[in-house]
Amino acid sequence: MAIYNPKSLKAEEFINHEEILKTLAYADENKNNDKLIDEILEKARPQKTKTGYVCAGLSHREASVLLACENPEKIKKMFEVAEEIKQAFYGNRIVLFAPLYLSNYCVNGCLYCPYHAKNKHIGRKKLTQEEVKAEVIALQDMGHKRLAIEAGEDPVNNPIEYILECIKTIYSVHHKNGDIRRVNVNIAATTVENYRKLKEAGIGTYILFQETYHKNSYETLHPTGPKHDYAYHTEAMDRAMEGGIDDVGLGVLFGLDKYRYEFAGLLMHAEHLEAVHGVGPHTISVPRVKHADDIDPNVFDNSISDEMFTKIAACIRLAVPYTGMIISTRETEAVRAKMLQVGISQVSGASRTSVGGYTEEERPHDTEQFDVSDQRTLDEVVRWLMETGHIPSFCTACYREGRTGDRFMSLCKSGQIQNCCTPNALMTLTEYLVDYASEETRKIGYRLIEDELKKIPKENVRKIAAEHIEAIKNSNKRDF
Ligand code: SAM
């Protein structure tokens, strides 16, 4: 299928309205074309190689045909292939993280976000460095090792220097056994120079949600403030990569515009990054818009059912098999359970979306961004993951050993990810169980670790992992 060259175009030119409309028309024409659907599914299926598996992925047009298809038998097959891909590259490991809200000062006018500048009744708050420390200690005491920092856009209250100072503070907190090992950053689109500074500060993934790929809707939903500039926002990942950040995380805020339009735009964005920078997005997040303080309910006209949401996740899994997928506590336990099956590889746990929320006894609502649907503790989420057949992982090894960007992707493609990720997941899970878990969770965890160790194919790897696990249980040695 001839699709013009993404390499020669800027992100905003490549992800364009005409191509998305053509894609949707092509998907409608072919949604009952069983032969084509079978071919697309076959293309997406993982192929076994000598060292592991490879996957071809799908173009945005191919994946859009699957998303449009309403045949229950074919949809069932989509879910099966998505699960196969997930097993091939991620196994049953699920990485855990928590968001850390630094500041809700914001100069933008986003119509769906309670942090919008005109909201006069939300409490505005920005953490001091002492408060950042206290929040980090509270997160470490739960067992978190990986954070995603969040802030509104405000060049006076939250300039890049403030964000950099917070990152430095986070990495400097050594409390009991609990260092934060990876700080991902979700802040507004910025300059190449600022991305370079974030890279130098040692961030993990730079995450920025597109919100919507529909340019007209984007401009309506972001009427005022720097975020109004669609091209500047859409080209942020190119600037981030130019600034040296290898791992970038895409996302759409589902519910703002029509999901099929967003889906095609999201995949085109991934294609653009792969073509221009040689590496696609490290992660894709799938947030759904939630009701929030001072938000007009009409913003939520495009909400999607849980069934469609799961199908979208499965189709993303088929299209970009090597990209991690993230689901947050915006979703309920039941939805998260379904999404895990079809390809999610990272979940947040015990999140609080208010500024300074982790140090409060009760979940505060006065400064929060949105209500979280999954309000379980980290211990409960870890136990639930194990009881539903997953290995909760606190691993950050790839990032710290420099396996980011294309080096991470080649590890993933070589199949070697299986040999090093499972042992790392089991070791970091042991750290969690020894240092933070309840008695009940620990018991379930030790049993799971024993079973999973037996499944590691290489004897020497199995032996080393078992030795490290024993060392973690019997000493203060951590972070192998
Ligand atoms: N200020 C940064 C920006 O503009 O990209 C990022 C930080 S903001 C705290 C993180 C994300 O929260 C936004 O990108 C948006 O997708 C999401 N968000 C905003 N309002 C929301 C709502 N009502 N429900 C769910 N997610 C929301």
Side-chain angles (χ1 to χ4, degrees):
M1 186 184 315
I3 294 178
Y4 49 91
N5 180 8
K7 205 163 182 166
S8 59
L9 296 171
K10 289 176 137 192
E12 196 223 340
E13 294 162 340
F14 179 64
I15 312 162
N16 72 81
H17 186 61
E18 284 68 37
E19 172 54 21
I20 297 181
L21 291 186
K22 277 187 203 161
T23 300
L24 300 186
Y26 175 78
D28 279 333
E29 269 163 42
N30 286 290
K31 68 180 184 184
N32 296 317
N33 182 343
D34 287 353
K35 184 169 170 284
L36 178 67
I37 289 167
D38 285 340
E39 280 167 16
I40 295 173
L41 281 167
E42 204 41 51
K43 181 181 171 194
R45 199 180 278 284
Q47 305 296 325
K48 203 155 175 34
T49 65
K50 272 188 199 152
T51 51
Y53 289 93
V54 286
C55 258
L58 299 176
S59 72
H60 60 277
R61 285 201 180 188
E62 291 165 333
S64 293
V65 171
L66 297 187
L67 191 63
C69 165
E70 288 163 4
N71 178 337
E73 222 176 90
K74 303 289 177 208
I75 295 173
K76 191 166 164 258
K77 221 165 158 200
M78 287 173 212
F79 287 165
E80 282 166 11
V81 179
E83 206 172 339
E84 269 178 53
I85 295 172
K86 185 183 174 211
Q87 283 304 327
F89 298 112
Y90 290 92
N92 52 351
R93 298 177 305 279
I94 300 292
V95 168
L96 285 146
F97 76 99
L100 171 57
Y101 281 72
L102 300 177
S103 167
N104 64 1
Y105 282 96
C106 194
V107 296
N108 287 312
C110 314
L111 296 189
Y112 51 86
C113 180
Y115 289 176
H116 70 83
K118 286 196 186 136
N119 186 350
K120 295 295 174 224
H121 40 84
I122 191 168
R124 298 287 170 178
K125 193 168 173 189
K126 165 188 169 182
L127 298 179
T128 63
Q129 296 312 305
E130 274 313 303
E131 286 168 334
V132 171
K133 244 186 229 171
E135 288 280 292
V136 170
I137 288 173
L139 284 155
Q140 289 175 343
D141 278 343
M142 287 183 217
H144 277 296
K145 299 279 184 255
R146 183 189 285 247
L147 302 182
I149 56 173
E150 310 276 340
E153 179 168 17
D154 186 328
V156 173
N157 286 299
N158 329 320
I160 192 72
E161 291 71 25
Y162 170 72
I163 304 292
L164 295 169
E165 202 187 349
C166 292
I167 296 169
K168 207 168 158 195
T169 301
I170 295 168
Y171 280 134
S172 75
V173 182
H174 307 294
H175 166 69
K176 296 187 187 160
N177 290 328
D179 296 2
I180 296 299
R181 298 173 184 164
R182 178 171 174 130
V183 178
N184 297 333
V185 174
N186 183 9
I187 60 164
T190 185
T191 59
V192 174
E193 198 193 340
N194 286 348
Y195 286 124
R196 201 162 284 132
K197 289 179 185 167
L198 288 169
K199 165 77 181 171
E200 280 160 15
I203 70 159
T205 310
Y206 171 65
I207 299 164
L208 181 70
F209 300 158
Q210 179 65 28
E211 320 300 5
T212 173
Y213 284 96
H214 193 292
K215 190 175 178 188
N216 287 349
S217 297
Y218 182 95
E219 287 172 350
T220 309
L221 287 161
H222 306 95
T224 54
K227 196 161 170 173
H228 177 72
D229 187 337
Y230 178 80
Y232 189 72
H233 190 79
T234 310
E235 283 155 18
M237 295 314 191
D238 297 287
R239 291 194 301 280
M241 285 185 153
E242 201 185 323
I245 295 177
D246 292 326
D247 292 345
V248 298
L250 301 180
V252 152
L253 189 52
F254 282 102
L256 294 182
D257 209 290
K258 304 275 185 285
Y259 69 89
R260 289 177 57 202
Y261 192 103
E262 304 294 21
F263 177 80
L266 181 65
L267 294 184
M268 289 175 82
H269 202 168
E271 283 164 24
H272 166 81
L273 294 177
E274 174 101 40
V276 175
H277 304 281
V279 54
H282 186 66
T283 55
I284 288 182
S285 300
V286 286
R288 276 195 292 190
V289 70
K290 298 212 53 169
H291 288 271
D293 178 59
D294 204 39
I295 296 304
D296 177 354
N298 293 327
V299 170
F300 304 96
D301 276 357
N302 294 303
S303 61
I304 43 175
S305 68
D306 293 348
E307 285 66 35
M308 188 49 74
F309 190 46
T310 322
K311 187 175 170 196
I312 291 170
C315 291
I316 295 175
R317 182 68 304 143
L318 300 181
V320 283
Y322 303 112
T323 297
M325 275 174 74
I326 303 179
I327 191 131
S328 77
T329 53
R330 285 176 183 85
E331 301 298 336
T332 60
E333 173 184 337
V335 170
R336 280 162 44 108
K338 275 193 208 153
M339 296 287 274
L340 284 173
Q341 266 177 343
V342 298
I344 294 293
S345 54
Q346 283 190 39
V347 299
S348 48
S351 306
R352 292 194 173 182
T353 66
S354 44
V355 182
Y358 294 109
T359 41
E360 301 282 338
E361 192 70 33
E362 291 291 317
R363 181 180 290 274
H365 295 289
D366 54 339
T367 63
E368 94 183 335
Q369 195 188 20
F370 48 80
D371 226 8
V372 306
S373 296
D374 184 342
Q375 300 202 353
R376 291 172 295 172
T377 64
L378 187 61
D379 190 71
E380 286 166 337
V381 174
V382 166
R383 189 159 68 236
W384 166 72
L385 285 172
M386 296 191 296
E387 284 170 346
T388 50
H390 302 97
I391 308 175
S393 172
F394 293 87
C395 184
T396 56
C398 275
Y399 153 71
R400 288 178 316 135
E401 287 179 17
R403 281 192 301 269
T404 55
D406 57 347
R407 278 147 299 173
F408 169 80
M409 289 298 172
S410 39
L411 177 77
C412 200
K413 288 172 190 173
S414 72
Q416 289 310 308
I417 204 161
Q418 295 282 32
N419 280 327
C420 73
C421 292
T422 301
N424 281 334
L426 296 177
M427 287 188 278
T428 57
L429 175 60
T430 310
E431 291 181 348
Y432 173 81
L433 295 173
V434 174
D435 293 337
Y436 308 103
S438 66
E439 200 49 51
E440 194 189 343
T441 302
R442 192 174 300 138
K443 241 194 262 162
I444 296 170
Y446 283 168
R447 222 178 303 133
L448 174 131
I449 289 167
E450 215 173 281
D451 292 344
E452 291 292 334
L453 269 174
K454 287 183 202 142
K455 294 184 203 160
I456 297 176
K458 281 192 180 164
E459 199 190 327
N460 60 334
V461 177
R462 193 165 61 236
K463 196 164 160 270
I464 293 168
E467 281 167 12
H468 287 174
I469 284 168
E470 277 315 297
I472 294 163
K473 284 183 181 172
N474 299 313
S475 72
N476 250 346
K477 193 153 165 37
R478 299 287 177 270
D479 201 12
F480 285 90

